[in-house]
Amino acid sequence: MAQARETPLLSCRNVTKTFGSLTAVSDLSFELAAGEVLGIGGPNGAGKTTLFEMISGQTGVTSGTITLEGRDITTLSPVGRCHAGLARVFQLNTGFDSLTVRENVLVAAYYGRAPRRMPGLRVPSGVDDQVQDALRRVGLEARAERPAATLPVIDRKLLMIAGALAMSPKLLLLDEPVGGLTQREIDQVAEVVGQVAADGVTVVLIEHVMRFLVQLSNRVMILHHGKKLYEGDATGLSRDRDVVEVYLGHGAGKEVARMAADRAEVRHVG
């Protein structure tokens, strides 16, 4: 007797988003198993961020359904999705500049894990522990008392990730987490995200930096004009003619093939 199929952590079924006559995402379906890292790429205007907006609840779907652990969250509010276990890190740096690093993460931990209709006068000790753990995981412990406004770009990005981790998410959405960073800083964020995934958090990331995307993703999905152009492992990207023509280009395609081969070799040795 065949075993019942395990419920995916995230499922998007025939998801469509239109803005008047413009279709930003068209009849898109995919599933994500717990523990996976899905990398999403594609040209500007492909519908990547609109997809994140729908998954996180910032914009409603025109049609289709989204489920988290089998629960239909299609019409759930962004706050409700957050409390259900979904956290999102935005492309642009966000935060409370007048608060310290620790206070920023504390706000996320206190309000992001459960409804707080009547906030207490004291922060529960468990929340403090969660804040400290999140700061440790991204390497910001030593800068915990610095005002967020004084942080360099790399630390602002790590602060956003720390805030998301403080919510104890089951699913973490990262929208271009290494945009504008140097190669050394990209490697630093890759190490953090890689460890987050190794700790069991499911990750979906949008990224144009192919080295980062290939290094971290178990599976890659390329979008174009709101539709799925490719879905599979990173090693197949450079062999897909449409992906090379529309997105990578022939020179970059060869470099992606090399990076995918290097990653596969590292995993084999490991």
Side-chain angles (χ1 to χ4, degrees):
M1 182 177 179
Q3 290 184 331
R5 187 185 180 192
E6 186 177 348
T7 301
L9 180 74
L10 176 71
S11 177
C12 292
R13 287 294 177 195
N14 307 112
V15 172
T16 296
K17 180 64 182 182
T18 59
F19 298 94
S21 61
L22 172 66
T23 300
V25 176
S26 178
D27 198 34
L28 181 64
S29 296
F30 68 94
E31 293 183 348
L32 186 65
E36 271 196 285
V37 179
L38 173 66
I40 301 177
N44 290 330
K48 304 181 298 295
T49 295
T50 300
L51 175 61
F52 264 29
E53 296 282 305
M54 291 188 288
I55 294 173
S56 59
Q58 266 74 37
T59 190
V61 305
T62 302
S63 61
T65 58
I66 302 172
T67 62
L68 184 67
E69 293 188 308
R71 176 189 178 187
D72 190 339
I73 63 169
T74 310
T75 59
L76 197 63
S77 70
V79 172
R81 298 183 200 210
C82 182
H83 294 160
L86 188 156
R88 178 182 177 185
V89 173
F90 290 82
Q91 179 180 354
L92 298 177
N93 293 334
T94 59
F96 300 102
D97 283 351
S98 61
L99 301 183
T100 66
V101 168
R102 183 186 304 279
E103 289 167 340
N104 267 272
V105 180
L106 178 61
V107 170
Y110 188 72
Y111 289 99
R113 300 171 68 193
R116 301 285 184 182
R117 293 183 177 86
M118 296 290 291
L121 296 177
R122 294 183 178 179
V123 176
S125 60
V127 174
D128 278 330
D129 292 342
Q130 197 73 16
V131 170
Q132 189 65 22
D133 181 64
L135 291 172
R136 176 191 59 79
R137 293 170 78 180
V138 303
L140 287 179
E141 286 178 293
R143 293 178 285 286
E145 305 310 323
R146 281 186 60 173
T150 67
L151 295 178
V153 172
I154 173 63
D155 287 344
R156 297 279 294 212
K157 289 182 178 292
L158 292 172
L159 176 58
M160 291 193 295
I161 295 175
L165 294 178
M167 302 178 193
S168 299
K170 300 170 185 175
L171 176 63
L172 177 61
L173 306 180
L174 301 172
D175 191 350
E176 297 193 31
V178 297
L181 299 184
T182 67
Q183 190 56 62
R184 178 177 293 182
E185 291 168 342
I186 290 171
D187 290 341
Q188 183 179 347
V189 176
E191 184 176 350
V192 169
V193 175
Q195 187 57 56
V196 168
D199 290 340
V201 178
T202 305
V203 178
V204 184
L205 61 93
I206 293 172
E207 192 50 70
H208 287 291
V209 179
M210 294 305 295
R211 182 166 178 262
F212 184 87
L213 185 144
V214 169
Q215 178 182 349
L216 291 170
S217 303
N218 304 118
R219 182 159 48 103
V220 176
M221 182 166 67
I222 304 298
L223 301 182
H224 183 51
H225 293 320
K227 296 183 178 181
K228 189 189 303 182
L229 185 67
Y230 173 87
E231 184 176 15
D233 61 35
T235 58
L237 285 170
S238 62
R239 297 193 297 267
D240 188 287
R241 180 178 300 176
D242 290 335
V243 172
V244 172
E245 293 291 340
V246 168
Y247 185 46
L248 295 179
H250 292 281
K254 293 178 181 178
E255 181 64 14
V256 168
R258 184 192 63 77
M259 290 187 292
D262 289 346
R263 180 178 187 269
E265 179 64 23
V266 168
R267 291 200 160 204
H268 176 71
V269 172

